[in-house]
Amino acid sequence: MSTRCIIAIDGPAGSGKSTVARALATRLRFAFLDTGAMYRAAAVAVLESGGDVADAVACAGIVKRHTISLDPDAFPPRILLDGRDVGIRIRDPDVSAASSPVSASPEVRAILVQAQRAFAIDHPLLVTEGRDQSSVVFPDAEVKVFLVARLEVRAARRAAELRSKGVPADEAEVLHAIQERDLRDSTRTTSPLREVSGSLRVDSSELSVEQVISLIEAHLPVGAARP
Ligand code: DC
């Protein structure tokens, strides 16, 4: 078995990254890193401090005063803000909306990218997901996947996910919010969402999680899986 195998999965909101990455990590018995959860925790810190999410420097100042970490003993790892589990709070719609402008701050990104690379040093067999994992954080990842899905499909998935948590969700509103977030995440100056050459492009619109995983597994380097 290889001593290091990083599987980087990037894609827009609702493309199925988290579900696929988590299931793949379970199957391979790799660690799992949800980098979106880290940006969401940063947004919680900014919201709780009453900071302006559009002020990149102020956001970084707030984030620096807090500790965003992952408890790797849990699977999936619990996301902690100053040791407090914010796993539920980070999925609230106000945090979803705030996470996009907060993640556009280059200084916030520098802090979280460093934490992500440190996590990979401790967990060299890793499935990681986000927007910049293949392009910026792990450009030397052994496997790079760009996961996409049609906008309507992504909105339907997000709405269903919210409803399953008891949060009322109007599909048209969810679609609009995703569209705005996509635009901001892919047009920002620092580390925009982009497909890198050499990545495996998978459109999950008509595929089950199992089918997506099979496509990725077919691209794993020989000996990547644990025995
Ligand atoms: O994947 P998600 O919806 O949990 O991500 C939340 C926000 O964080 C989203 O607006 C994009 C941003 N993000 C990012 O900029 N870079 C990452 N590696 C992961 C997420």
Side-chain angles (χ1 to χ4, degrees):
M1 186 185 60
S2 320
T3 49
R4 190 193 109 134
C5 181
I6 295 189
I7 303 173
I9 305 179
D10 291 302
S15 55
K17 294 183 307 290
S18 292
T19 310
V20 165
R22 192 180 310 173
L24 183 62
T26 305
R27 178 112 116 225
L28 297 174
R29 287 187 284 139
F30 279 22
F32 165 59
L33 179 59
D34 174 355
T35 61
M38 299 173 82
Y39 288 99
R40 286 168 179 269
V44 172
V46 174
L47 291 175
E48 286 182 352
S49 312
D52 177 2
V53 296
D55 183 335
V57 175
C59 286
I62 293 167
V63 171
K64 268 186 206 144
R65 294 199 296 275
H66 295 269
T67 306
I68 294 168
S69 57
L70 290 146
D71 170 8
D73 293 335
F75 190 92
R78 290 185 313 143
I79 180 80
L80 307 173
L81 177 61
D82 299 327
R84 169 169 55 107
D85 188 340
V86 287
I88 307 260
R89 174 72 180 111
I90 61 166
R91 301 294 158 195
D92 288 341
D94 62 327
V95 177
S96 295
S99 63
S100 186
V102 169
S103 70
S105 161
E107 296 88 348
V108 169
R109 300 200 74 83
I111 297 166
L112 295 187
V113 166
Q114 194 184 20
Q116 292 157 19
R117 290 186 179 141
F119 190 88
I121 289 172
D122 291 341
H123 304 88
L125 298 176
L126 179 67
V127 182
T128 180
E129 58 106 338
R131 303 293 189 287
D132 58 347
Q133 300 300 286
S134 302
S135 57
V136 174
V137 186
F138 304 110
D140 54 351
E142 280 71 13
V143 181
K144 298 177 178 182
V145 179
F146 195 70
L147 191 58
V148 295
R150 289 196 310 277
L151 178 62
E152 306 75 49
V153 174
R154 294 190 283 125
R157 284 178 185 160
R158 267 290 145 92
E161 188 188 321
L162 286 168
R163 284 188 205 115
S164 74
K165 290 174 183 153
V167 181
D170 174 77
E171 218 159 291
E173 269 175 28
V174 173
L175 187 142
H176 182 67
I178 287 184
Q179 228 169 357
E180 275 192 349
R181 210 138 66 86
D182 279 357
L183 182 70
R184 203 180 292 119
D185 293 342
S186 53
T187 55
R188 68 182 176 219
T189 317
T190 310
S191 309
L193 169 66
R194 66 181 179 89
E195 186 171 2
V196 295
S197 73
S199 58
L200 168 70
R201 184 188 182 88
V202 179
D203 184 334
S204 72
S205 304
E206 313 294 341
L207 300 179
S208 67
V209 173
E210 276 305 307
Q211 287 171 318
V212 175
I213 289 178
S214 297
L215 287 172
I216 299 173
E217 280 189 324
H219 276 75
L220 296 184
V222 175
R226 288 183 197 267

